[in-house]
Amino acid sequence: MTDALPSFDLAGKVALVTASARGLGRACALALANAGADIALGLRLKESGKALAGEIEGMGRRALPLQMDMEDVDQIRAAVSEAHRQFGRIDILVNNAGVGPENLAENVTESDFDYTLRVNLKGTFFASQVVGKLMRDQRSGRIINMSSQAGVVALPGEPIYCMTKAAINHLTRCLAVEWGPYNITVNAVAPTFIETDGTAEALSNPDFHKHVLASIALGRVGKPVEVAGAVVFLASPAASLITGATLLVDGGWSAR
């Protein structure tokens, strides 16, 4: 980036995107590749990334599908090690993996509680830890955590999901302060309801869909590419002075 103009170019960079097979992860992987980055694809099932890898390679970028179940810390470490071995560096980490079993607080089971924390918090933390060590050694890096508007506003029926996303927002700040001296930025993106396979069932309910639209100032559900655009920005040289921030991509829901 020059002093005169911001740069959004990611040519020569390597990005690792977790849970990249579909939805927001897929959109982020494609958007980062379009901006010039080679992509390591973290996948719960490695074979699920073949088609996406082909799309990325068709854009003239390198793609590497990796077995990376975010509930398994050993798999996280092995996947990061393989990405680093293949590419020689990791410049960008997108912690996209997340789950949210829906239930009222009084009905939440211990297994659902533990599962949500394992993926959303434990997985995000240990992926950040392993990649953060590599970034520290190379004295640069961008970590982008996928939060949610649920970390800022209360969503009835999703207390554990909301709790984990609020925790991710604060983890983002903690890591930003700890790793800032190594020229590593750590930020989060917090979307509203986005049109994905994961939200399709809920949004197909006319009453719920009406409630969602009434809560979003822009009056529409978001698209994955709109979240991916925020991720590319935070990964780019244009965002070099931004760290510890949670960027709401919520159509104005939290402004009410």
Side-chain angles (χ1 to χ4, degrees), residues 152-249:
V152 178
V153 299
L155 299 180
E158 299 189 51
I160 311 308
Y161 180 75
C162 291
M163 178 183 72
T164 61
K165 293 304 183 178
I168 283 174
N169 293 346
H170 197 54
L171 174 63
T172 296
R173 291 187 284 267
C174 291
L175 296 181
V177 170
E178 187 168 331
W179 292 343
Y182 301 100
N183 193 33
I184 300 168
T185 68
V186 187
N187 293 292
V189 173
T192 186
F193 287 92
I194 305 297
E195 294 176 358
T196 67
D197 292 344
T199 62
E201 182 177 353
L203 292 174
S204 67
N205 181 310
D207 291 337
F208 181 75
H209 191 264
K210 182 179 179 180
H211 163 70
V212 167
L213 295 187
S215 300
I216 298 175
L218 290 177
R220 64 178 178 83
V221 175
K223 298 182 182 300
V225 68
E226 294 176 300
V227 180
V231 169
V232 171
F233 166 62
L234 291 172
S236 76
S240 58
L241 195 60
I242 301 174
T243 196
T246 296
L247 175 58
L248 283 155
V249 186

